Amino acid sequence: MVRLPLTPEQLAAGKRLGHQLRQARGDRTLAEVAQEAGISPETLRKIETGRMATPAFTTVAALARVLPLSLDELADICLAHTGLRQTG
């Protein structure tokens, strides 16, 4: 199966997600958070820098579990500017 290139909107959502995860990590090291989430530090680095714009749901869920973030918050961040964002 050939994967289609990501759209500009998907790339922007990945950058927003990465920025939010980096902010939530605060002073904790990348390696510490990655280990707690059960992912590699390189995977977390790629997500935080936007180089991995569409990480697996289980990866995002694991990061939300170890950071002070909810999946709802992360969904809102990813869906911002798409018209798909849920409102309260």
Side-chain angles (χ1 to χ4, degrees):
M1 183 167 110
V2 175
R3 183 174 175 160
L4 297 174
L6 297 177
T7 66
E9 292 81 15
Q10 289 171 316
L11 293 171
K15 287 189 183 295
R16 288 190 303 273
L17 173 65
H19 176 78
Q20 187 61 41
L21 292 172
R22 174 60 191 101
Q23 291 297 106
R25 183 162 60 85
D27 293 335
R28 295 168 68 188
T29 69
L30 189 136
E32 174 188 346
V33 171
Q35 181 178 14
E36 286 183 43
I39 63 173
S40 73
E42 184 59 23
T43 295
L44 181 53
R45 182 177 294 109
K46 287 178 181 178
I47 295 168
E48 285 187 356
T49 60
R51 290 186 359 226
M52 184 182 289
T54 58
F57 174 77
T58 54
T59 300
V60 175
L63 288 166
R65 189 188 69 225
V66 301
L67 296 170
L69 293 168
S70 73
L71 287 175
D72 285 337
E73 288 176 284
L74 293 176
D76 283 345
I77 290 161
C78 289
L79 297 175
H81 311 297
T82 66
L84 298 175
R85 189 159 121 191
Q86 291 278 37
T87 54

Coordinates of all heavy atoms in Angstrom, one line a residue:
M1 N 0.8 -1.2 0.0 CA 0.0 0.0 0.0 C 0.9 1.2 0.0 O 1.8 1.3 0.8 CB -0.9 0.0 1.2 CG -1.9 1.1 1.3 SD -3.1 0.9 2.5 CE -2.6 2.1 3.7
V2 N 0.6 2.2 -0.9 CA 1.3 3.4 -1.0 C 0.7 4.4 -0.1 O -0.6 4.6 -0.1 CB 1.4 3.9 -2.4 CG1 2.1 5.2 -2.5 CG2 2.1 2.9 -3.3
R3 N 1.5 5.1 0.7 CA 0.9 6.1 1.6 C 1.0 7.5 0.9 O 2.0 7.8 0.3 CB 1.8 6.2 2.9 CG 1.2 7.2 3.9 CD 2.0 7.2 5.1 NE 1.5 8.3 6.0 CZ 1.6 8.3 7.3 NH1 2.2 7.4 7.9 NH2 1.2 9.4 7.9
L4 N -0.1 8.2 0.9 CA -0.2 9.5 0.2 C 0.6 10.5 1.0 O 0.7 10.4 2.3 CB -1.7 9.9 0.1 CG -2.6 9.0 -0.7 CD1 -4.0 9.5 -0.6 CD2 -2.1 9.0 -2.2
P5 N 1.1 11.5 0.4 CA 1.9 12.5 1.1 C 0.9 13.3 2.0 O -0.3 13.4 1.8 CB 2.3 13.5 0.0 CG 2.2 12.7 -1.3 CD 1.2 11.7 -1.1
L6 N 1.5 13.7 3.1 CA 0.6 14.5 4.1 C 0.3 15.8 3.5 O 1.0 16.4 2.8 CB 1.4 14.6 5.4 CG 1.8 13.4 6.2 CD1 2.6 13.7 7.4 CD2 0.5 12.6 6.5
T7 N -0.9 16.3 3.9 CA -1.4 17.6 3.5 C -0.8 18.6 4.3 O -0.3 18.4 5.4 CB -2.9 17.7 3.6 OG1 -3.3 17.6 5.0 CG2 -3.7 16.6 2.9
P8 N -0.8 19.9 3.8 CA -0.3 21.0 4.7 C -1.0 21.1 6.0 O -0.3 21.4 7.0 CB -0.5 22.2 3.8 CG -0.5 21.7 2.4 CD -1.1 20.3 2.5
E9 N -2.3 20.8 6.1 CA -3.0 20.8 7.3 C -2.5 19.7 8.3 O -2.4 20.0 9.5 CB -4.5 20.6 7.1 CG -5.2 21.8 6.3 CD -5.0 21.7 4.8 OE1 -4.6 20.7 4.3 OE2 -5.2 22.8 4.2
Q10 N -2.2 18.5 7.8 CA -1.7 17.4 8.6 C -0.3 17.8 9.1 O 0.0 17.5 10.3 CB -1.7 16.1 7.8 CG -3.0 15.5 7.5 CD -3.0 14.4 6.6 OE1 -2.2 14.4 5.6 NE2 -3.7 13.3 6.9
L11 N 0.5 18.4 8.3 CA 1.8 18.8 8.8 C 1.7 19.9 9.8 O 2.4 19.8 10.8 CB 2.6 19.3 7.6 CG 3.0 18.2 6.5 CD1 3.6 18.9 5.3 CD2 3.9 17.2 7.1
A12 N 0.8 20.8 9.7 CA 0.6 21.9 10.7 C 0.1 21.3 12.0 O 0.5 21.7 13.0 CB -0.3 23.0 10.1
A13 N -0.8 20.4 11.9 CA -1.4 19.7 13.1 C -0.2 19.0 13.8 O -0.2 19.0 15.1 CB -2.5 18.7 12.7
G14 N 0.6 18.3 13.1 CA 1.8 17.6 13.7 C 2.7 18.6 14.4 O 3.2 18.3 15.5
K15 N 2.9 19.8 13.8 CA 3.7 20.8 14.5 C 3.1 21.3 15.8 O 3.7 21.5 16.8 CB 4.1 21.9 13.5 CG 5.1 21.5 12.5 CD 5.5 22.7 11.7 CE 6.5 22.3 10.6 NZ 7.7 21.7 11.0
R16 N 1.8 21.5 15.7 CA 1.0 22.0 16.9 C 1.1 20.9 18.0 O 1.3 21.2 19.2 CB -0.4 22.3 16.6 CG -0.6 23.6 15.8 CD -2.1 24.0 15.7 NE -2.9 23.0 15.1 CZ -3.2 22.8 13.9 NH1 -2.6 23.6 13.0 NH2 -4.0 21.9 13.4
L17 N 0.9 19.6 17.6 CA 1.0 18.5 18.6 C 2.4 18.5 19.2 O 2.5 18.4 20.5 CB 0.6 17.2 17.9 CG 0.8 16.0 18.8 CD1 -0.1 15.9 19.9 CD2 0.7 14.7 17.9
G18 N 3.4 18.5 18.4 CA 4.7 18.4 18.9 C 5.1 19.6 19.9 O 5.7 19.4 20.9
H19 N 4.6 20.8 19.5 CA 4.9 22.0 20.3 C 4.2 21.8 21.7 O 4.8 22.1 22.7 CB 4.4 23.2 19.7 CG 4.5 24.4 20.5 ND1 5.7 25.1 20.7 CD2 3.6 25.1 21.2 CE1 5.5 26.1 21.5 NE2 4.3 26.2 21.8
Q20 N 3.0 21.3 21.7 CA 2.2 21.1 22.9 C 2.9 20.1 23.8 O 3.0 20.2 25.0 CB 0.8 20.8 22.7 CG -0.1 20.7 23.9 CD -0.1 22.1 24.6 OE1 -0.2 23.1 24.0 NE2 0.0 22.1 25.9
L21 N 3.3 19.0 23.2 CA 4.0 17.9 24.0 C 5.3 18.4 24.6 O 5.6 18.1 25.7 CB 4.2 16.7 23.1 CG 3.0 15.9 22.7 CD1 3.3 14.9 21.7 CD2 2.2 15.3 23.9
R22 N 6.0 19.2 23.8 CA 7.3 19.8 24.3 C 7.0 20.7 25.5 O 7.7 20.7 26.5 CB 8.0 20.5 23.2 CG 9.3 21.2 23.7 CD 10.3 20.2 24.3 NE 11.4 20.9 24.9 CZ 11.4 21.1 26.3 NH1 10.5 20.6 27.1 NH2 12.5 21.7 26.8
Q23 N 6.0 21.5 25.4 CA 5.6 22.5 26.5 C 5.2 21.7 27.7 O 5.6 22.0 28.8 CB 4.5 23.4 26.0 CG 4.8 24.4 25.0 CD 5.9 25.3 25.4 OE1 7.0 25.3 25.0 NE2 5.5 26.3 26.3
A24 N 4.5 20.6 27.5 CA 4.0 19.8 28.7 C 5.1 19.1 29.3 O 5.1 18.8 30.5 CB 2.9 18.8 28.2
R25 N 6.1 18.7 28.6 CA 7.3 18.0 29.1 C 8.0 18.9 30.1 O 8.6 18.4 31.1 CB 8.2 17.6 28.0 CG 9.4 16.7 28.5 CD 10.0 16.0 27.3 NE 10.5 16.7 26.2 CZ 11.7 17.3 26.2 NH1 12.6 17.2 27.2 NH2 12.1 18.0 25.1
G26 N 8.0 20.2 29.9 CA 8.7 21.1 30.8 C 10.1 20.8 31.0 O 10.9 20.7 30.0
D27 N 10.6 20.7 32.3 CA 12.0 20.5 32.6 C 12.4 19.0 32.6 O 13.6 18.7 32.8 CB 12.3 21.1 34.0 CG 12.2 22.6 34.0 OD1 12.4 23.2 33.0 OD2 11.9 23.1 35.1
R28 N 11.4 18.2 32.4 CA 11.8 16.7 32.3 C 12.6 16.4 31.0 O 12.3 17.0 30.0 CB 10.5 15.9 32.3 CG 9.7 16.1 33.7 CD 8.4 15.5 33.6 NE 8.4 14.0 33.5 CZ 7.3 13.3 33.3 NH1 6.2 13.8 33.2 NH2 7.5 12.0 33.2
T29 N 13.5 15.5 31.1 CA 14.3 15.2 30.0 C 13.4 14.4 28.9 O 12.5 13.7 29.3 CB 15.5 14.3 30.3 OG1 15.1 13.0 30.7 CG2 16.4 15.0 31.4
L30 N 13.9 14.5 27.7 CA 13.2 13.8 26.6 C 13.3 12.3 26.9 O 12.3 11.5 26.8 CB 13.9 14.1 25.3 CG 13.3 13.6 24.0 CD1 13.3 14.8 23.0 CD2 14.0 12.5 23.5
A31 N 14.5 11.8 27.3 CA 14.7 10.4 27.6 C 13.8 9.9 28.7 O 13.2 8.8 28.7 CB 16.2 10.1 27.9
E32 N 13.6 10.7 29.8 CA 12.8 10.3 30.9 C 11.3 10.1 30.5 O 10.7 9.1 30.8 CB 12.9 11.4 32.0 CG 12.0 11.2 33.2 CD 11.9 12.4 34.1 OE1 12.8 13.2 34.0 OE2 11.0 12.4 34.9
V33 N 10.8 11.1 29.7 CA 9.4 11.0 29.3 C 9.2 9.9 28.3 O 8.2 9.1 28.4 CB 9.0 12.4 28.7 CG1 7.6 12.2 28.0 CG2 8.9 13.4 29.8
A34 N 10.2 9.7 27.4 CA 10.1 8.6 26.4 C 10.0 7.3 27.1 O 9.2 6.4 26.8 CB 11.2 8.7 25.4
Q35 N 10.9 7.1 28.1 CA 11.0 5.8 28.8 C 9.7 5.6 29.6 O 9.1 4.4 29.5 CB 12.1 5.8 29.8 CG 12.2 4.5 30.6 CD 13.4 4.5 31.5 OE1 14.0 5.5 31.8 NE2 13.8 3.3 32.0
E36 N 9.1 6.6 30.2 CA 7.9 6.4 31.0 C 6.7 6.1 30.0 O 5.8 5.3 30.4 CB 7.5 7.7 31.8 CG 8.4 7.9 33.0 CD 7.9 9.1 33.8 OE1 6.7 9.3 33.9 OE2 8.8 9.8 34.2
A37 N 6.8 6.6 28.8 CA 5.7 6.4 27.8 C 5.9 5.1 27.1 O 5.0 4.7 26.3 CB 5.6 7.6 26.9
G38 N 7.1 4.5 27.2 CA 7.4 3.2 26.5 C 7.7 3.4 25.0 O 7.4 2.5 24.2
I39 N 8.2 4.6 24.7 CA 8.6 4.8 23.3 C 10.1 5.2 23.3 O 10.7 5.5 24.3 CB 7.8 6.0 22.7 CG1 8.0 7.3 23.4 CG2 6.3 5.6 22.6 CD1 7.3 8.5 22.7
S40 N 10.7 5.2 22.1 CA 12.1 5.6 22.0 C 12.3 7.1 22.1 O 11.4 7.9 21.7 CB 12.7 5.1 20.7 OG 12.3 5.9 19.7
P41 N 13.4 7.6 22.7 CA 13.7 9.0 22.7 C 13.6 9.6 21.3 O 13.2 10.8 21.1 CB 15.1 9.1 23.3 CG 15.2 7.9 24.1 CD 14.4 6.8 23.4
E42 N 14.1 8.9 20.3 CA 14.1 9.4 18.9 C 12.7 9.6 18.4 O 12.4 10.6 17.7 CB 14.9 8.4 18.0 CG 15.0 9.0 16.6 CD 15.7 10.3 16.4 OE1 16.5 10.7 17.3 OE2 15.4 11.0 15.4
T43 N 11.8 8.7 18.8 CA 10.4 8.9 18.4 C 9.8 10.1 19.0 O 9.2 11.0 18.3 CB 9.5 7.7 18.8 OG1 10.0 6.5 18.0 CG2 8.1 7.9 18.5
L44 N 10.1 10.3 20.3 CA 9.6 11.6 20.9 C 10.2 12.8 20.3 O 9.5 13.8 20.1 CB 9.8 11.5 22.4 CG 9.4 12.7 23.2 CD1 7.9 13.0 23.0 CD2 9.6 12.5 24.7
R45 N 11.5 12.7 20.0 CA 12.2 13.9 19.4 C 11.5 14.2 18.0 O 11.2 15.4 17.7 CB 13.6 13.6 19.2 CG 14.4 14.7 18.5 CD 15.9 14.4 18.4 NE 16.5 14.3 19.8 CZ 16.9 13.1 20.3 NH1 16.8 12.0 19.6 NH2 17.4 13.1 21.5
K46 N 11.2 13.2 17.2 CA 10.6 13.4 15.9 C 9.2 14.0 16.1 O 8.8 14.9 15.3 CB 10.5 12.1 15.1 CG 11.8 11.6 14.6 CD 11.7 10.3 13.9 CE 13.0 9.8 13.3 NZ 12.8 8.5 12.7
I47 N 8.4 13.6 17.1 CA 7.1 14.1 17.3 C 7.2 15.6 17.7 O 6.5 16.4 17.2 CB 6.3 13.3 18.3 CG1 6.1 11.9 17.8 CG2 5.0 13.9 18.7 CD1 5.6 10.9 18.8
E48 N 8.1 15.8 18.7 CA 8.2 17.2 19.2 C 8.6 18.2 18.1 O 8.3 19.4 18.2 CB 9.2 17.2 20.4 CG 8.6 16.7 21.6 CD 9.5 16.8 22.9 OE1 10.6 17.4 22.7 OE2 9.1 16.5 24.0
T49 N 9.5 17.7 17.2 CA 10.0 18.7 16.2 C 9.1 18.7 14.9 O 9.3 19.5 14.0 CB 11.4 18.3 15.7 OG1 11.3 16.9 15.2 CG2 12.4 18.4 16.9
G50 N 8.0 17.9 14.9 CA 7.1 17.9 13.8 C 7.5 17.0 12.6 O 6.9 17.0 11.6
R51 N 8.6 16.3 12.8 CA 9.1 15.4 11.7 C 8.3 14.1 11.6 O 8.3 13.5 10.6 CB 10.6 15.1 12.0 CG 11.5 16.2 11.7 CD 13.0 15.9 11.8 NE 13.3 14.5 12.1 CZ 14.2 14.1 13.0 NH1 14.9 15.0 13.6 NH2 14.4 12.8 13.2
M52 N 7.5 13.8 12.7 CA 6.6 12.7 12.7 C 5.2 13.3 13.0 O 4.8 13.5 14.1 CB 6.9 11.7 13.8 CG 6.0 10.5 13.7 SD 6.4 9.3 15.0 CE 7.9 8.6 14.5
A53 N 4.6 13.8 11.9 CA 3.3 14.6 12.0 C 2.1 13.8 12.4 O 1.1 14.3 12.9 CB 3.1 15.3 10.7
T54 N 2.1 12.5 12.1 CA 1.0 11.6 12.4 C 1.4 10.4 13.2 O 1.4 9.3 12.7 CB 0.3 11.2 11.1 OG1 1.2 10.5 10.3 CG2 -0.3 12.4 10.4
P55 N 1.8 10.6 14.5 CA 2.2 9.4 15.3 C 1.0 8.5 15.5 O -0.2 8.9 15.5 CB 2.7 10.0 16.6 CG 2.0 11.4 16.6 CD 1.8 11.8 15.2
A56 N 1.2 7.3 15.9 CA 0.2 6.3 16.2 C -0.6 6.8 17.4 O -0.1 7.4 18.3 CB 0.8 4.9 16.5
F57 N -1.9 6.4 17.4 CA -2.8 6.8 18.5 C -2.2 6.3 19.8 O -2.2 7.0 20.8 CB -4.2 6.3 18.3 CG -5.1 6.5 19.5 CD1 -5.6 7.8 19.7 CD2 -5.3 5.5 20.4 CE1 -6.4 8.0 20.9 CE2 -6.1 5.7 21.5 CZ -6.7 7.0 21.7
T58 N -1.7 5.1 19.8 CA -1.2 4.5 21.1 C 0.0 5.3 21.6 O 0.2 5.4 22.8 CB -0.9 3.0 20.9 OG1 0.0 2.9 19.8 CG2 -2.1 2.2 20.7
T59 N 0.8 5.8 20.7 CA 1.9 6.6 21.1 C 1.4 7.9 21.8 O 1.9 8.3 22.8 CB 2.8 6.9 19.9 OG1 3.3 5.7 19.4 CG2 4.0 7.8 20.3
V60 N 0.4 8.6 21.1 CA -0.1 9.8 21.7 C -0.8 9.6 23.0 O -0.6 10.3 24.0 CB -1.1 10.5 20.7 CG1 -1.8 11.7 21.3 CG2 -0.4 10.9 19.4
A61 N -1.5 8.5 23.1 CA -2.2 8.1 24.4 C -1.1 7.9 25.5 O -1.3 8.3 26.6 CB -3.1 6.9 24.2
A62 N -0.1 7.2 25.2 CA 1.0 6.9 26.2 C 1.6 8.2 26.6 O 1.9 8.4 27.8 CB 2.0 6.0 25.6
L63 N 1.8 9.1 25.7 CA 2.4 10.4 26.1 C 1.5 11.3 26.9 O 1.9 11.9 27.9 CB 2.9 11.2 24.8 CG 4.1 10.7 24.1 CD1 4.2 11.3 22.8 CD2 5.3 10.9 25.0
A64 N 0.2 11.2 26.6 CA -0.8 12.0 27.4 C -0.9 11.4 28.8 O -1.1 12.2 29.7 CB -2.2 11.9 26.7
R65 N -0.7 10.1 28.9 CA -0.7 9.5 30.2 C 0.4 9.9 31.1 O 0.2 10.1 32.3 CB -0.7 7.9 30.1 CG -0.9 7.2 31.4 CD -0.6 5.7 31.2 NE 0.8 5.5 31.1 CZ 1.4 4.7 30.2 NH1 0.6 4.0 29.3 NH2 2.7 4.6 30.1
V66 N 1.6 10.2 30.6 CA 2.7 10.6 31.4 C 2.9 12.1 31.5 O 3.8 12.5 32.3 CB 4.0 9.9 31.0 CG1 3.9 8.3 31.0 CG2 4.5 10.3 29.6
L67 N 2.2 12.8 30.7 CA 2.3 14.3 30.7 C 1.0 14.8 31.3 O 0.0 14.2 31.2 CB 2.6 14.8 29.3 CG 3.9 14.4 28.7 CD1 4.0 14.8 27.3 CD2 5.1 15.0 29.5
P68 N 1.0 16.0 31.8 CA -0.2 16.6 32.3 C -1.2 17.1 31.1 O -1.5 18.3 31.0 CB 0.2 17.8 33.2 CG 1.5 18.2 32.5 CD 2.1 16.9 32.0
L69 N -1.6 16.1 30.3 CA -2.4 16.5 29.2 C -3.5 15.4 29.0 O -3.3 14.2 29.4 CB -1.6 16.4 27.8 CG -0.6 17.5 27.7 CD1 0.3 17.2 26.5 CD2 -1.2 18.9 27.5
S70 N -4.7 15.8 28.5 CA -5.7 14.8 28.2 C -5.8 14.6 26.7 O -5.3 15.4 25.9 CB -7.1 15.4 28.7 OG -7.5 16.4 27.9
L71 N -6.4 13.5 26.4 CA -6.5 13.2 24.9 C -7.5 14.2 24.3 O -7.3 14.6 23.1 CB -7.1 11.8 24.7 CG -6.0 10.7 25.0 CD1 -6.7 9.3 24.9 CD2 -4.9 10.8 24.0
D72 N -8.4 14.7 25.0 CA -9.3 15.8 24.5 C -8.5 17.0 24.2 O -8.7 17.7 23.1 CB -10.4 16.1 25.5 CG -11.5 15.1 25.5 OD1 -11.7 14.3 24.6 OD2 -12.2 15.0 26.6
E73 N -7.6 17.4 25.1 CA -6.8 18.6 24.8 C -6.0 18.4 23.5 O -5.9 19.3 22.7 CB -5.8 18.9 26.0 CG -6.5 19.4 27.2 CD -5.4 19.5 28.3 OE1 -5.0 18.5 28.9 OE2 -5.0 20.7 28.6
L74 N -5.4 17.3 23.4 CA -4.5 17.0 22.3 C -5.3 16.9 21.0 O -4.9 17.4 19.9 CB -3.7 15.7 22.5 CG -2.7 15.8 23.6 CD1 -2.0 14.4 23.8 CD2 -1.6 16.8 23.3
A75 N -6.5 16.4 21.0 CA -7.4 16.4 19.9 C -7.8 17.8 19.4 O -7.7 18.1 18.3 CB -8.7 15.6 20.2
D76 N -8.1 18.6 20.4 CA -8.4 20.0 20.1 C -7.2 20.7 19.4 O -7.4 21.5 18.5 CB -8.8 20.8 21.3 CG -10.2 20.5 21.8 OD1 -11.0 19.9 21.0 OD2 -10.6 20.9 22.9
I77 N -6.0 20.5 19.9 CA -4.8 21.1 19.3 C -4.6 20.6 17.9 O -4.4 21.4 17.0 CB -3.6 20.7 20.2 CG1 -3.7 21.5 21.5 CG2 -2.3 21.1 19.4 CD1 -2.8 20.9 22.6
C78 N -4.8 19.3 17.7 CA -4.6 18.7 16.3 C -5.7 19.2 15.4 O -5.4 19.3 14.2 CB -4.5 17.2 16.4 SG -3.1 16.6 17.2
L79 N -6.9 19.3 15.8 CA -8.0 19.7 15.0 C -8.2 21.2 14.8 O -9.1 21.6 14.1 CB -9.3 19.0 15.4 CG -9.2 17.5 15.4 CD1 -10.5 16.9 16.0 CD2 -9.0 16.9 14.0
A80 N -7.5 22.0 15.5 CA -7.6 23.4 15.4 C -7.4 23.8 13.9 O -6.6 23.2 13.2 CB -6.5 24.1 16.3
H81 N -8.2 24.8 13.5 CA -8.1 25.3 12.2 C -8.6 24.4 11.1 O -8.4 24.7 9.9 CB -6.6 25.8 11.8 CG -6.0 26.6 12.8 ND1 -6.4 27.8 13.2 CD2 -4.9 26.3 13.6 CE1 -5.7 28.3 14.2 NE2 -4.7 27.4 14.4
T82 N -9.2 23.3 11.4 CA -9.8 22.4 10.4 C -11.3 22.4 10.3 O -11.8 21.9 9.3 CB -9.4 20.9 10.7 OG1 -10.1 20.5 11.9 CG2 -7.9 20.7 10.9
G83 N -11.9 23.1 11.2 CA -13.4 23.0 11.2 C -13.9 21.8 11.8 O -15.1 21.6 11.9
L84 N -13.1 20.8 12.3 CA -13.5 19.6 12.9 C -13.5 19.6 14.4 O -13.9 18.6 15.0 CB -12.7 18.4 12.3 CG -12.7 18.2 10.8 CD1 -11.7 17.1 10.4 CD2 -14.1 17.8 10.4
R85 N -13.0 20.7 15.0 CA -12.8 20.7 16.4 C -14.2 20.7 17.1 O -15.1 21.4 16.7 CB -12.1 22.0 16.7 CG -11.6 22.1 18.1 CD -10.5 23.1 18.2 NE -10.8 24.2 19.1 CZ -10.1 25.3 19.1 NH1 -9.1 25.4 18.4 NH2 -10.4 26.2 20.0
Q86 N -14.3 19.9 18.2 CA -15.5 19.8 19.0 C -15.6 21.1 19.8 O -14.6 21.5 20.4 CB -15.5 18.6 19.9 CG -15.6 17.3 19.1 CD -17.0 17.0 18.8 OE1 -17.8 17.9 18.5 NE2 -17.4 15.8 18.9
T87 N -16.8 21.6 20.0 CA -16.9 22.7 21.0 C -17.9 22.2 22.1 O -18.8 21.5 21.8 CB -17.5 23.9 20.3 OG1 -18.7 23.6 19.6 CG2 -16.5 24.5 19.3
G88 N -17.6 22.6 23.2 CA -18.1 22.2 24.4 C -19.4 22.0 24.8 O -20.1 21.7 25.6

